[in-house]
Amino acid sequence: MQLVYLMASASIHLQLPNQMLGGTSSLSHSWKELLHTSKSSNNRKANAPAVSCNLKSKVSDMSRKAPKGLFPPEPEKYEGPKLKVAIIGSGLAGLSTAVELLDQGHEVDIYESRAFIGGKVGSFVDKRGNHIEMGLHVFFGCYNNLFRLMKKVGADENLLVKQHTHTFINKGGQIGELDFRFLTGAPLHGIKAFLTTNQLLNFDKVANAVALATSPVVRALIDPDGAMRDIRNLDNVSFSEWFMSHGGTRKSIQRMWDPVAYALGFINCDNISARCMLTIFALFATKTEASLLRMLKGSPDLYLSGPIKRYITEKGGFTSDGGVERYYTVRILQEKHMCLVFISPRQLNQAAGLDNLLYTPDADFSCFADLAITSPEDYYRSDQGSLLQVVLTPGDPYMPLPNEEIVDKVHKQVLSLFPSAQGLEMTWSSVVKIGQSLYREAPGMDLFRPDQKTPVQNFFLAGSYTKQDYIDSMEGATLSGRQASAYICESGTMLAELTRMLEFDDALMQVKSAESADELTVV
């Protein structure tokens, strides 16, 4: 079986004193003005709009007019024998599997080699009290399987809804955006966003529209399952090859789609499958909230993996063995992952700036966010400023470099995006490197993704790299856990049927044996 894993990315934290990298959420100001606003806000309270933090609204309904494989129906009550299941690794896929199995009454043990759980969505607190994450985590509005899991474990109040825009930071502080805010929803809100974006020139916008209008995305409006089949059939070609053959331009790829591809799969449009990108486009076109982003209130260990662990523990899924916690998952190899965080003193009790995921085509990090603003519970401090977390993609060139050199290179690139930050002192940095985790969604690789059910009896797989209709992501990992649980319960039901058959055969043999004994007695 052939699987190609991506060496994608590390985590860096840098520190800048005295001011934020952005002082207002208005996109019409220059970065110099943003920083000036931040400086002058010392004598006033930051005035930010209230944000929603629950999953009761602004979530796509994936149970209707959506591909059936993306959100399976609720499982039927398990009627077979109680199973004892061991899961190796406590990533999101394994945690999802454990929750499903515990809800069906099975016994679960989870084994994890690291000191914290969560896999690629894990985090820990260092000796200085800083929360260190394994990556930058953003939740699309169509993450129904993950939202279902979060509701189940009581974490549905832990996400903050962002503005319905996708923002690009270009060299020199120029800001471009895809603004999906409109009077009506899908697909008109998407058409409006792409036609009015200032990230592309008019010619590129027209070419972009032609390419998308001739894609399976249009079929998805009336036949979601048929469109998904068409999209799967495009797995053998790269997104660049498909896009340019339909009239798209190289400039569109460089200025818009490469940063998006890097954020989704840690590889650019020349190397990512058209299936991956078009899966997302189809959801954006058909579901109004699919393109709406959320981020955790704070660190994953407190607001995502923490609540899942508590739920599993309460169900009896965690045990103690010689002081070592045991968990149940299927281990996912870790990616080479790089993140960057900038810290500088913040003003008063709330930071001001760009409260959203940010893309850039002009740096080695494709996406980043100011966690002091987007996830303030653990990352905002009244005496400090911006805390930027960035993902370096591809990370291969950075993996052999010493941390100091990585920090220096990234610092220079940040300053090229924010010229008005020149002269600020960096006071803290942290680098995290994790190797070989993310499945490489290159053309032709979907065929080799393993099913959750393997040829080895009683051995199953779970992970975003396994076969499922969504892309390699948090949602894909959660979906794979549901599918793995279904296979495990199915095997238990088959075991129950086999047991009943054996018991029946045994009873029949006893009856025949008794009849033979009676006949011999008569003789």
Side-chain angles (χ1 to χ4, degrees):
M1 183 171 292
Q2 180 182 0
L3 282 177
V4 182
Y5 290 91
L6 170 67
M7 296 181 179
S9 359
S11 193
I12 311 174
H13 302 78
L14 306 177
Q15 202 163 30
L16 302 172
N18 300 330
Q19 56 201 80
M20 303 288 296
L21 285 178
T24 174
S25 59
S26 172
L27 297 181
S28 61
H29 298 303
S30 70
W31 278 107
K32 186 174 181 179
E33 290 170 328
L34 295 180
L35 286 167
H36 177 74
T37 303
S38 177
K39 286 183 189 177
S40 63
S41 65
N42 286 321
N43 297 320
R44 63 177 174 80
K45 202 170 187 176
N47 199 8
V51 291
S52 171
C53 59
N54 61 55
L55 297 174
K56 295 179 181 178
S57 62
K58 297 183 179 180
V59 174
S60 299
D61 182 3
M62 299 300 291
S63 63
R64 55 187 296 273
K65 294 184 179 179
K68 294 181 177 60
L70 292 180
F71 190 64
E74 291 299 314
E76 296 181 2
K77 182 175 176 54
Y78 177 73
E79 301 292 349
K82 182 178 181 178
L83 303 175
K84 184 171 183 177
V85 187
I87 306 179
I88 312 302
S90 62
L92 189 54
L95 295 176
S96 170
T97 309
V99 168
E100 296 297 314
L101 291 172
L102 288 166
D103 286 346
Q104 293 285 24
H106 299 298
E107 182 180 346
V108 172
D109 285 338
I110 306 179
Y111 297 84
E112 172 58 57
S113 63
R114 295 196 293 184
F116 57 92
I117 67 170
K120 288 181 287 189
V121 297
S123 66
F124 63 92
V125 180
D126 68 9
K127 294 179 180 179
R128 298 177 60 182
N130 300 302
H131 291 266
I132 308 297
E133 297 189 18
M134 298 299 101
L136 183 59
H137 310 299
V138 181
F139 300 71
F140 288 101
C142 55
Y143 276 11
N144 281 42
N145 293 286
L146 182 52
F147 293 160
R148 170 183 171 274
L149 174 62
M150 295 182 72
K151 289 178 182 178
K152 186 176 290 191
V153 303
D156 50 320
E157 297 285 338
N158 293 349
L159 292 173
L160 299 178
V161 180
K162 305 307 175 186
Q163 288 290 338
H164 204 165
T165 61
H166 289 211
T167 305
F168 296 79
I169 307 299
N170 302 295
K171 189 174 182 179
Q174 298 299 315
I175 298 178
E177 65 176 346
L178 283 170
D179 189 346
F180 292 91
R181 294 170 294 188
F182 198 46
L183 297 175
T184 61
L188 296 181
H189 78 316
I191 296 173
K192 176 260 181 185
F194 285 105
L195 291 181
T196 60
T197 180
N198 58 342
Q199 183 64 14
L200 299 176
L201 299 175
N202 288 335
F203 176 80
D204 297 311
K205 286 192 281 189
V206 172
N208 202 57
V210 170
L212 295 178
T214 56
S215 73
V217 170
V218 176
R219 184 179 181 180
L221 297 172
I222 56 176
D223 182 11
D225 287 298
M228 184 59 70
R229 288 193 297 270
D230 292 343
I231 289 171
R232 286 197 206 100
N233 291 335
L234 291 171
D235 183 66
N236 288 325
V237 299
S238 70
F239 178 73
S240 290
E241 182 181 350
W242 175 86
F243 184 70
M244 297 186 71
S245 70
H246 283 249
T249 63
R250 175 58 66 177
K251 194 74 171 179
S252 295
I253 291 174
Q254 293 170 343
R255 304 309 300 172
M256 179 174 287
W257 298 126
D258 267 348
V260 173
Y262 277 129
L264 292 175
F266 294 86
I267 47 181
N268 62 20
C269 291
D270 290 345
N271 294 289
I272 200 169
S273 165
R275 177 196 58 80
C276 176
M277 297 287 281
L278 291 173
T279 296
I280 297 297
F281 292 173
L283 293 173
F284 281 15
T286 57
K287 298 294 180 180
T288 302
E289 298 84 4
S291 51
L292 180 65
L293 304 180
R294 286 173 166 84
M295 296 182 73
L296 289 170
K297 284 182 176 180
S299 63
D301 62 311
L302 296 180
Y303 293 98
L304 182 58
S305 55
I308 299 175
K309 177 181 176 180
R310 285 194 296 272
Y311 183 89
I312 293 173
T313 303
E314 291 169 0
K315 291 268 187 176
F318 287 83
T319 61
S320 180
D321 183 11
V324 179
E325 286 185 321
R326 293 188 294 158
Y327 310 126
Y328 166 35
T329 45
V330 176
R331 181 75 177 180
I332 307 174
L333 296 177
Q334 293 302 311
E335 84 207 54
K336 286 185 178 176
H337 167 71
M338 296 190 175
C339 302
L340 167 70
V341 178
F342 264 69
I343 303 179
S344 65
R346 305 170 181 86
Q347 291 76 38
L348 302 176
N349 63 353
Q350 189 169 350
L354 294 172
D355 183 10
N356 214 327
L357 174 71
L358 306 173
Y359 303 93
T360 179
D362 295 325
D364 290 342
F365 46 90
S366 60
C367 60
F368 63 104
D370 188 344
L371 298 186
I373 300 171
T374 62
S375 306
E377 291 293 327
D378 294 316
Y379 299 111
Y380 170 74
R381 297 178 185 176
S382 60
D383 61 337
Q384 295 183 0
S386 293
L387 187 144
L388 294 184
Q389 186 177 51
V390 313
V391 182
L392 287 164
T393 48
D396 301 53
Y398 284 87
M399 295 303 287
L401 300 180
N403 290 353
E404 295 77 8
E405 188 174 345
I406 295 173
V407 170
D408 183 63
K409 286 179 176 290
V410 173
H411 187 196
K412 290 176 180 177
Q413 293 180 56
V414 169
L415 294 179
S416 74
L417 296 180
F418 305 104
S420 55
Q422 294 287 344
L424 294 184
E425 179 187 356
M426 182 178 62
T427 59
W428 177 67
S429 66
S430 175
V431 179
V432 175
K433 300 178 183 178
I434 310 172
Q436 295 184 342
S437 156
L438 204 63
Y439 157 72
R440 185 182 176 94
E441 299 207 63
M445 290 297 102
D446 196 53
L447 176 66
F448 300 103
R449 299 174 80 166
D451 202 354
Q452 289 80 30
K453 184 177 181 179
T454 74
V456 181
Q457 188 175 7
N458 292 338
F459 180 73
F460 303 85
L461 298 175
S464 55
Y465 66 90
T466 59
K467 189 170 290 297
Q468 39 86 17
D469 279 343
Y470 203 69
I471 65 172
D472 185 16
S473 60
M474 292 187 291
E475 175 71 357
T478 310
L479 175 57
S480 78
R482 293 189 64 185
Q483 294 178 179
S485 172
Y487 277 125
I488 293 169
C489 290
E490 182 183 275
S491 71
T493 303
M494 293 172 62
L495 178 62
E497 290 292 333
L498 179 60
T499 302
R500 283 193 287 268
M501 290 174 61
L502 291 174
E503 290 174 347
F504 178 78
D505 288 345
D506 186 54
L508 186 61
M509 290 296 292
Q510 291 179 10
V511 170
K512 289 183 177 180
S513 178
E515 290 177 350
S516 298
D518 289 343
E519 291 174 2
L520 289 173
T521 302
V522 172
V523 171

